[in-house]
Amino acid sequence: MKRRDLVRHLEAHGCEMLREGGNHTVYVNRARRKTTAVPRQREVNEFLARKICQDLEIPEP
């Protein structure tokens, strides 16, 4: 899955960027008070994309 598609999915479900780190971007779901790191690579594998969504408690892409 392309990173930009994952980011669009996160933002469509109410998540927003909290801060940028060295190799990751931290996203937060303020409604559920959950955070997770999204790697800054062009491709994010499907298992990691599902794990990110689970961490933020939003539907899987």
Side-chain angles (χ1 to χ4, degrees):
M1 162 175 256
K2 300 251 186 231
R3 182 182 188 275
R4 69 174 181 255
D5 294 335
L6 177 60
V7 168
R8 285 183 189 148
H9 176 76
L10 297 178
E11 291 174 350
H13 286 88
C15 300
E16 56 191 46
M17 183 180 72
L18 182 63
R19 64 183 169 83
E20 301 249 352
N23 296 320
H24 293 79
T25 304
V26 177
Y27 275 83
V28 62
N29 182 345
R30 294 191 190 275
R32 304 226 185 231
R33 296 186 177 184
K34 300 291 181 178
T35 62
T36 195
V38 177
R40 273 200 241 141
Q41 302 168 349
R42 287 181 185 236
E43 293 286 328
V44 177
N45 75 37
E46 295 296 324
F47 296 107
L48 183 56
R50 278 191 245 143
K51 175 69 170 114
I52 289 168
C53 292
Q54 288 174 357
D55 288 348
L56 293 170
E57 296 182 358
I58 63 171
E60 296 177 3

